[in-house]
Amino acid sequence: RCGSTLVANALIAMNPDKHRVYSESAPPLHALKGVCGETYQFCQKHQAAAVLRDVIYLMSRTNDPNEERVFFKIQSIGSRNIEVFQAAFPETPWIYVYREPVQVMMSHLKYGEKHANCIAPKRRKSDVVRDLLMRHRTTVGELSNIEYCAVHLATLTESASRAIAANPATGTSVNYESLPDALYQTILPQKWNIPVSPTEVENIVQISSVYSKGTGGRKGEFKDDSEEKEREASLDIREAAEKFLK
């Protein structure tokens, strides 16, 4: 949807012997939600950070002498928890991959509103959603499903924007359109201080030419669908993106 899977695939393909990548692995967010609650109603954020440190430590252990680095691609909903991730790992660099809002919404709604991940949380109360809607002087009940999709995505991008503004030394926003070049030209060598060899660049470029979510029968050559998504977006999607995501 936004390019994060492409980044995860590129990081492991870059050097499979030295890199381990967790892509949307459940334990980090499950630990936070299970121990502290979705809105940290059961513990304070510094305690949540301690829980998160323990989980990441256990997941990062290895008996492979060749492994040097471990990367975590966190589920999109985890964007609301960036503050806790920063508290747990204040010196660890991270990126937030973003894409034009209409294109992201089109990806979410590809199989219809009933199957859209951005709409599913509408049935649950959320203080984060409520606070955003208060600024727009509306309520969840007044929103269409497509509008709620935009609101849900807005809560994620706003959380990331605040986190990057608070600590630009570790957090970096990355535009989908800049991938994969930004990864080996800027992010790895300059932001993360990880040198990239010509062979590793070639590995990144090669894996980036394959459909990032392709497995089994879905695997194939990557084709940029940005223009197609923009062209096929309905007026409702465009208006919702303009209202809540611009």
Side-chain angles (χ1 to χ4, degrees):
R1 297 187 179 107
C2 69
S4 58
T5 300
L6 185 154
V7 172
N9 290 347
L11 289 172
I12 190 64
M14 172 184 166
N15 196 323
D17 292 331
K18 292 184 178 181
H19 292 181
R20 190 197 314 178
V21 177
Y22 287 103
S23 185
E24 300 192 10
S25 187
L29 294 190
H30 277 195
L32 289 180
K33 185 177 179 179
V35 175
C36 295
E38 194 163 348
T39 58
Y40 305 105
Q41 65 268 37
F42 303 128
C43 72
Q44 297 181 5
K45 289 187 177 180
H46 75 273
Q47 295 171 313
V51 170
L52 182 60
R53 275 194 299 271
D54 289 344
V55 172
I56 298 299
Y57 167 73
L58 291 172
M59 294 178 70
S60 301
R61 287 170 60 87
T62 183
N63 59 2
D64 184 345
N66 293 317
E67 281 193 334
E68 295 182 0
R69 305 180 184 98
V70 60
F71 302 90
F72 289 82
K73 174 198 167 190
I74 301 299
Q75 297 89 326
S76 62
I77 193 65
S79 300
R80 294 180 182 173
N81 305 100
I82 292 178
E83 181 183 355
V84 173
F85 275 84
Q86 285 186 305
F89 303 98
E91 298 180 0
T92 301
W94 56 276
I95 61 174
Y96 181 82
V97 185
Y98 69 95
R99 189 176 183 180
E100 281 298 314
V102 167
Q103 297 168 23
V104 177
M105 290 183 66
M106 285 291 287
S107 292
H108 273 273
L109 296 162
K110 181 177 181 179
Y111 299 108
E113 296 179 14
K114 185 177 180 180
H115 302 286
N117 289 338
C118 60
I119 295 173
K122 189 177 182 182
R123 297 186 294 269
R124 303 191 297 269
K125 289 184 178 180
S126 167
D127 292 339
V128 177
V129 169
R130 181 203 61 200
D131 292 345
L132 187 149
L133 291 179
M134 285 180 64
R135 303 203 311 266
H136 288 272
R137 299 183 179 181
T138 187
T139 63
V140 171
E142 296 177 277
L143 299 178
S144 68
N145 284 341
I146 288 177
E147 287 176 321
Y148 185 87
C149 177
V151 168
H152 171 82
L153 296 174
T155 65
L156 309 183
T157 56
E158 286 193 2
S159 175
S161 295
R162 288 193 300 269
I164 291 172
N167 197 345
T170 56
T172 304
S173 60
V174 178
N175 191 322
Y176 168 86
E177 298 293 338
S178 72
L179 296 171
D181 301 40
L183 195 58
Y184 58 81
Q185 291 178 353
T186 306
I187 301 302
L188 286 161
Q190 297 180 23
K191 298 291 185 178
W192 295 355
N193 294 319
I194 299 175
V196 187
S197 71
T199 299
E200 290 172 333
V201 170
E202 183 178 347
N203 291 344
I204 291 173
V205 171
Q206 184 174 356
I207 195 65
S208 299
S209 67
V210 178
Y211 177 50
S212 63
K213 294 183 182 291
T215 55
R218 299 177 64 195
K219 189 173 183 179
E221 181 181 355
F222 170 76
K223 295 180 181 179
D224 187 10
D225 59 356
S226 299
E227 292 185 5
E228 180 183 356
K229 282 181 165 60
E230 291 284 351
R231 184 173 60 252
E232 296 183 354
S234 67
L235 180 61
D236 287 346
I237 290 176
R238 293 182 183 281
E239 289 181 342
E242 180 66 30
K243 182 175 182 180
F244 296 108
L245 283 161
K246 294 292 186 176

